[in-house]
Amino acid sequence: MEFSRIRLIWDTNLAGILILLCSALFQVWLSFCDQTRLSIIHKFSHSSVFLDSAGMTQLNFSVTWQMMDSLKDAAEQIWRMIWKDLFNENSFLIQTVGTTIWGVLCWLSLNSFFLVVDYTGRPQWLYKYKIQEEKNNPADRKKVLGTFKTALYNISVLNFVVLTVMYYPNTRWLGSLRSTGLLPTFGELVLQIWAFKIMEEFGNYYGHRILHMPQFYKYHKKHHEWTAPMSIVSSHCGTVEHILGNILPVAAGPYIFRSHLFVGWIWSLLVLFNTTVEHSASGYHLPLLYSAEGHDYHHKTFTSWYGTMAFLDVLHGTDKPFSGTVDGKRHFISCTLTPVNETVSDREDSCKVE
């Protein structure tokens, strides 16, 4: 396997890898702080001895732990308020109505900025970060409005219907998502999210490839009406594709793991953020956001790059048409304000990634 293709996997997942490493280090730090707190309690609980410098250092570690403990307590209080006051401890309502409302609020919040830019064409300075510079300057307002209506219908009405239909079979055979009890620890949250992501990638990649087969493409054609997509296009698709390609791969992890519903909501927020950036960045390759050059290439050519984490594309060779192009050479996280299309020239033979 060529080094450039291995690097493609690294560049695609760099942000997630860094988050995972930082999370692991943070978890180690919390464990250390917890041990320090127990040491302080044992040493000074029945003593009036003035703390020396070592004791003050231990106290600082304990304060760090107490701050995290306070954050978790606050999260649990908010969740109890949602569970008891808003949904009256009704598991069906919180998993159907609550999850739908949460999804709509997250979707609207994440898409609002890009929707304004795509609809109004302002601010103009943002256009220097566009990937397909000649497209959607600004986007056709009638087409944007139609796309918005379709996406909002899928995110709200269709999601609610599917969640309602799924509730009783899942409760009986897989076990309902937990709505009560203690929230997971930070470490448990991170591990579950990563497990969900890997499971979603398998469902997303193979499902996406099936939808591109001639006999099934009619169910996917609506999504590809945009060859230079915008953020709300992420949910612009037909009923069959939204259920099989968007909802089920995302919902599989939390239900199989029988996770706390709180984890499911955090996971859905991250998924919506990922797909929003993936499609909006197909319009804009912004600094510090992970690159969506691969998905932009997919919408532009209708081939190659069917997944989001790259490793299945590399495994099956569906990355090759993309990785050898100038788009592939631009597939990295930009850490400067200089647009990527200036950093990497359109002349492929002179491309050089900084």
Side-chain angles (χ1 to χ4, degrees):
M1 185 181 297
E2 302 94 332
F3 174 76
S4 61
R5 298 178 67 203
I6 297 176
R7 181 174 177 178
L8 197 65
I9 300 175
W10 170 262
D11 288 340
T12 301
N13 298 286
L14 178 58
I17 292 171
L18 291 176
I19 291 173
L20 181 62
L21 290 175
C22 290
S23 301
L25 291 173
F26 188 61
Q27 188 63 38
V28 172
W29 173 261
L30 289 181
S31 299
F32 179 67
C33 290
D34 189 33
Q35 293 298 320
T36 305
R37 180 185 63 166
L38 295 176
S39 175
I40 290 176
I41 293 174
H42 177 74
K43 186 174 182 180
F44 296 106
S45 59
H46 301 294
S47 173
S48 59
V49 178
F50 182 78
L51 295 181
D52 56 12
S53 59
M56 289 301 295
T57 301
Q58 290 181 324
L59 184 60
N60 289 334
F61 286 138
S62 181
V63 169
T64 302
W65 175 264
Q66 290 172 8
M67 290 174 61
M68 292 305 302
D69 225 20
S70 299
L71 287 175
K72 186 178 180 183
D73 288 343
E76 288 181 342
Q77 288 177 10
I78 293 173
W79 183 258
R80 281 196 295 270
M81 180 189 70
I82 295 172
W83 167 242
K84 292 183 178 180
D85 299 341
L86 295 183
F87 294 98
N88 198 30
E89 300 186 12
N90 188 309
S91 180
F92 172 76
L93 285 180
I94 196 172
Q95 290 193 37
T96 55
V97 177
T99 301
T100 301
I101 293 174
W102 171 255
V104 171
L105 291 177
C106 291
W107 184 81
L108 289 173
S109 300
L110 292 169
N111 281 277
S112 57
F113 171 74
F114 291 106
L115 186 60
V116 169
V117 174
D118 290 323
Y119 196 77
T120 65
R122 292 181 173 79
Q124 283 287 337
W125 61 265
L126 197 63
Y127 276 54
K128 66 183 179 181
Y129 294 106
K130 286 183 70 67
I131 296 176
Q132 297 188 50
E133 301 171 69
E134 72 284 0
K135 300 290 185 67
N136 301 333
N137 293 322
D140 182 282
R141 294 190 176 187
K142 185 177 180 180
K143 189 176 181 181
V144 170
L145 185 59
T147 299
F148 177 81
K149 290 179 179 178
T150 300
L152 183 60
Y153 171 82
N154 287 340
I155 288 292
S156 56
V157 178
L158 202 51
N159 277 13
F160 173 74
V161 171
V162 173
L163 286 168
T164 302
V165 171
M166 287 172 57
Y167 177 79
Y168 288 106
N170 282 328
T171 301
R172 180 170 182 177
W173 294 315
L174 293 178
S176 175
L177 298 178
R178 293 185 296 110
S179 304
T180 59
L182 295 177
L183 298 183
T185 65
F186 180 77
E188 291 171 342
L189 175 65
V190 172
L191 289 176
Q192 287 186 45
I193 293 295
W194 264 95
F196 301 165
K197 178 60 181 173
I198 293 173
M199 292 175 65
E200 184 216 13
E201 178 66 5
F202 279 91
N204 182 59
Y205 177 85
Y206 292 111
H208 197 177
R209 287 201 68 178
I210 290 172
L211 286 172
H212 272 267
M213 295 171 64
Q215 58 268 45
F216 298 110
Y217 186 71
K218 60 182 178 181
Y219 301 113
H220 189 47
K221 185 176 180 179
K222 190 178 188 68
H223 184 69
H224 274 283
E225 290 174 352
W226 290 81
T227 55
M230 47 194 278
S231 62
I232 57 174
V233 175
S234 60
S235 300
H236 177 69
C237 57
T239 301
V240 173
E241 178 180 359
H242 187 66
I243 294 174
L244 299 180
N246 293 345
I247 297 178
L248 294 185
V250 173
Y255 275 107
I256 290 175
F257 278 81
R258 298 184 65 180
S259 302
H260 197 288
L261 185 59
F262 174 82
V263 178
W265 284 15
I266 296 297
W267 166 235
S268 65
L269 171 61
L270 294 175
V271 169
L272 286 170
F273 175 78
N274 176 79
T275 191
T276 296
V277 173
E278 188 174 55
H279 286 82
S280 65
S282 291
Y284 308 94
H285 191 154
L286 299 175
L288 301 182
L289 287 182
Y290 63 86
S291 167
E293 297 277 354
H295 198 70
D296 177 79
Y297 185 85
H298 175 79
H299 270 268
K300 186 165 57 177
T301 65
F302 294 74
T303 60
S304 185
W305 206 263
Y306 296 96
T308 59
M309 297 180 72
F311 68 89
L312 288 176
D313 279 289
V314 171
L315 177 65
H316 294 288
T318 50
D319 67 300
K320 290 181 178 179
F322 165 71
S323 59
T325 66
V326 65
D327 306 81
K329 293 179 172 64
R330 288 174 174 168
H331 189 65
F332 61 93
I333 297 176
S334 175
C335 297
T336 72
L337 295 178
T338 304
V340 174
N341 55 16
E342 295 179 12
T343 304
V344 182
S345 170
D346 282 329
R347 295 178 58 188
E348 189 174 342
D349 58 347
S350 62
C351 286
K352 185 178 180 180
V353 180
E354 65 177 0

